[in-house]
Amino acid sequence: MAYVLFISEDKLKSSTAITMNVDVEFLLPFVRQAQKLYVETKLGTDLTQKLKNEIIGGTLAGAYKTLVDTYIGDMLPNFAFYHAIPFLRFKVENGNIYSKTSETGVALSTEESQHLREEVKNTGEYYMERMIEYVTNNLSSFPEYSTNSGADVSPDRNAYYSNMNLERPNQQGAELTLRNFLTPDI
């Protein structure tokens, strides 16, 4: 089955710390995963499908081309790398998982690996924020951004995940107070 990817192997490797000797077949599932998790959830199903159709048809131009080349092209490599990091030193074959070793280097500790992932994620979130701002500041160029319905994924404008939900209930309005964080029994 053919998949439409928004970035090339060269873009992935030139935009991250992934070296040219990492096999692209190893990286492709992480690019697809990141594209589904971070592009579609931020642009919505309709706009994502529009971009794929334009790429397939060879008609990607204007604001759509800018979105893919500049904004998605900066964000997607970082999230693909973020998802690939835990698996770079492991190999899964015939029902077994092997840890690969290097003759010329020392493997990162779990803490070092987590720190690296956080740095890569922070970079991806920065570029995600830029992508969201570009689209929302140019809504007339992207009518598909607001046409999702039914089982479609609707766009989410939040670029950063802080492990704490700070969204306000609709009935509360714009005010966020300490009461939002207290339990009823306090």
Side-chain angles (χ1 to χ4, degrees):
M1 175 181 225
Y3 296 97
V4 177
L5 299 177
F6 295 137
I7 59 171
S8 66
E9 175 186 357
D10 287 340
K11 179 68 175 177
L12 174 64
K13 291 181 176 181
S14 68
S15 299
T16 63
I18 298 172
T19 62
M20 293 307 245
N21 65 349
V22 177
D23 186 13
V24 70
E25 294 301 319
F26 172 79
L27 298 171
L28 282 178
F30 300 106
V31 175
R32 287 185 24 236
Q33 184 180 53
Q35 187 168 300
K36 194 78 169 158
L37 291 171
Y38 302 102
V39 175
E40 185 171 359
T41 60
K42 301 306 172 187
L43 299 182
T45 300
D46 291 350
L47 181 52
T48 301
Q49 193 57 51
K50 168 73 172 177
L51 295 173
K52 288 178 181 180
N53 292 342
E54 296 279 322
I55 291 169
I56 291 169
T59 57
L60 188 67
Y64 295 109
K65 183 166 178 48
T66 301
L67 176 59
V68 170
D69 292 349
T70 303
Y71 295 94
I72 295 173
D74 286 342
M75 179 193 76
L76 189 55
N78 288 286
F79 282 115
F81 185 35
Y82 172 77
H83 283 280
I85 289 172
F87 301 96
L88 288 173
R89 71 170 148 187
F90 297 105
K91 188 174 187 178
V92 180
E93 285 185 348
N94 298 326
N96 290 312
I97 301 174
Y98 302 97
S99 178
K100 296 186 279 184
T101 58
S102 171
E103 295 176 10
T104 60
V106 177
L108 291 178
S109 68
T110 302
E111 293 80 22
E112 291 170 324
S113 180
Q114 286 300 336
H115 178 71
L116 175 61
R117 285 189 85 212
E118 279 302 311
E119 290 300 318
V120 172
K121 180 181 173 193
N122 291 342
T123 303
E125 286 176 339
Y126 166 77
Y127 286 122
M128 183 188 302
E129 178 70 22
R130 291 191 63 228
M131 179 188 73
I132 292 168
E133 286 178 8
Y134 174 71
V135 172
T136 57
N137 288 326
N138 295 286
L139 288 174
S140 62
S141 298
F142 305 105
E144 302 83 4
Y145 186 75
S146 58
T147 60
N148 298 288
S149 63
D152 291 346
V153 174
S154 293
D156 176 8
R157 294 183 182 196
N158 296 320
Y160 296 96
Y161 180 70
S162 64
N163 296 332
M164 179 186 251
N165 185 0
L166 296 176
E167 293 179 10
R168 294 178 286 279
N170 291 336
Q171 70 273 15
Q172 179 181 337
E175 187 177 328
L176 187 63
T177 66
L178 182 59
R179 186 178 314 272
N180 298 100
F181 301 98
L182 299 176
T183 58
D185 59 332
I186 297 180

